[in-house]
Amino acid sequence: MTASQGTTPFVNSLHKRVDGPIQCGPGSPCKDNSCCGPEGKCGYKEHNCGAGFTSNCDAKAMCGIDSADGATPCGLNFCCSYYGWCGTEDVHCYDPEPQYGKTPCQKGFGSCQMYPSPSCSGRSASTGRRVGYYQGWNVHDRKCDKVSPSQINIKGLTHLFWSFVFFHPTTYAIEPMNAADPPMYCEVTNLATNGLETWVAVGGWSFSDPGDYHTAWSDMCATASGRAKFITSLISFMDEYGFTGANLDWEYPGDAKRRGRPEDADNLVLLVKEMKAAFGGRYGLSLTLALDYWYLRGFKPRAMQDYVDFMGFMSYGLHGPWDTEVKALGSIVRPQTDITEIYRNFKPLWFDGVDPSKINMGLAYYGRTYTLTDASRGTMGECGFDGPGAKGECTDSAGVLSNREIQSIIKNEGLTPYLNETAMVKYVTYAGNSWVGYDDEETLAMKESFANSLCLGGLMIWSLTLQATAGHSRETREPIWTSSGCHPRSGTSQSRRFTACFRALSFFRLSQASRRQRRIHPSQSPARA
């Protein structure tokens, strides 16, 4: 299947609804939260929100003249349709009823033309970057199948990312996500070879959860002094432990629910610009992009691409048990890595003018699970669910199974997975009434070919600790500590060369008694980048 073939029957996260009127009525409000007019049609126009409306009378459009201030543009150069929706399809960018000429795209609030997806016949992604994330917390939290740094399968990787480190919410100094992490930093950086770079990833999903760090990204990026403190501390940290680059994982700038601010996008551009200048070519720099428009509009990828080596696109986690809370989706089983949805979710990057060679496409080494309402019906997009699926033995996390656990379940239960070639995913019903959608070697190869067809510059794996063949035994054991020390960058003082990891070990011992442990909630730990 080429990148341009195939469509999905699902309403995806980019297009919450088909543009134009949809039906509503008393007791049946509009699923997109727009006004329900007297004729039973949804929208934001005066005839929808005026006299005779039945629900959501004060709703405002996403963009254009019917938005809250009457002047809101679409992010990422999207088209603002006549009905006030940002999008990338012809109904947004052109007049969907040209014979009447009354519903044109709203000029001045974004683009009013469509931009094609890139197309290639080579192997740009296959021969380009291959980034693997390592979840440090798997050693602390997982019941079994723990993978220490010395057990990572690094074959074929160009970059290995330690995930994650945090930074202090007021001083902006780099600090460990978990007090037990520092002794493992050197194990990771000691894996560096001529063909493998070891970088550190900053942030992650849990960093922006409610709590001490909730506004840390926004606060740090808001001032030149805050950004300078962060950059100085990050450089010192990388020098001390031997990391040769940094990845920024802010989830998500501009998102009000995660205490983002409207100015975050511009401030993030300033941060990466200043980081590149301070790094002076001595360190690599990348950042992670959200997978759909609702979060991606808080970024300015084109404005940042000249300051970073590459950007990772989180093309996984499209769906999960949380779909129940999304009116336009509901409790219907959908795979988290449907390639037809991923193809559409890439479109914002092309509208924004991003160079595809700067993008790494995300690959998931885990599956999302559901509990079926009817175990006899397990077809994706058709069957209902009433919660997350059965937990895995080792990850012990509702709604998630590692690929290693999935393969073990298939073998032990004698199951035959189903391959949906259009979506490029596999799925299977297990444990009676649980369902999991996932990728394996076959579908990952299909997705790699898809990435090649879009001229992408590489691939990004979340996460190496979840893969089916991790190159380690099932034995549960603590990280191996050696006295070899770190291999810091040239120019680091001799004393720091020999003391970094020993100081980390001392810090670890002290922190066991005196510091608060920082951990991702078990329900998120295996899967959220």
Side-chain angles (χ1 to χ4, degrees), residues 446-466:
M446 296 167 72
K447 285 183 165 70
E448 183 172 320
S449 295
F450 167 84
N452 289 332
S453 75
L454 284 182
C455 319
L456 303 185
L459 302 167
M460 176 182 78
I461 299 164
W462 184 267
S463 141
L464 298 173
T465 65
L466 302 169

Side-chain angles (χ1 to χ4, degrees), residues 365-505:
Y365 277 11
Y366 68 97
R368 285 286 180 188
T369 72
Y370 307 86
T371 296
L372 300 174
T373 54
D374 182 352
S376 66
R377 299 183 61 198
T379 303
M380 57 179 262
E382 297 180 6
C383 48
F385 69 86
D386 58 12
K391 295 181 179 181
E393 175 188 2
C394 296
T395 55
D396 191 34
S397 181
V400 171
L401 290 175
S402 71
N403 275 8
R404 188 175 179 86
E405 289 172 324
I406 293 169
Q407 294 306 318
S408 178
I409 289 170
I410 290 172
K411 180 180 179 180
N412 293 339
E413 296 189 21
L415 305 175
T416 301
Y418 179 82
L419 168 65
N420 186 308
E421 294 188 31
T422 300
M424 297 185 188
V425 295
K426 288 188 178 181
Y427 59 88
V428 67
T429 300
Y430 69 100
N433 64 343
S434 289
W435 186 100
V436 61
Y438 66 98
D439 287 305
D440 63 6
E441 290 185 4
E442 183 177 8
T443 60
L444 289 171
M446 296 167 72
K447 285 183 165 70
E448 183 172 320
S449 295
F450 167 84
N452 289 332
S453 75
L454 284 182
C455 319
L456 303 185
L459 302 167
M460 176 182 78
I461 299 164
W462 184 267
S463 141
L464 298 173
T465 65
L466 302 169
Q467 61 186 330
T469 54
H472 68 287
S473 70
R474 286 180 56 84
E475 179 184 357
T476 299
R477 59 193 187 201
E478 294 303 311
I480 300 170
W481 176 255
T482 68
S483 60
S484 59
C486 288
H487 298 297
R489 300 185 62 85
S490 59
T492 304
S493 69
Q494 186 70 15
S495 61
R496 289 174 70 182
R497 286 173 183 257
F498 291 106
T499 61
C501 285
F502 291 106
R503 189 172 66 82
L505 182 58

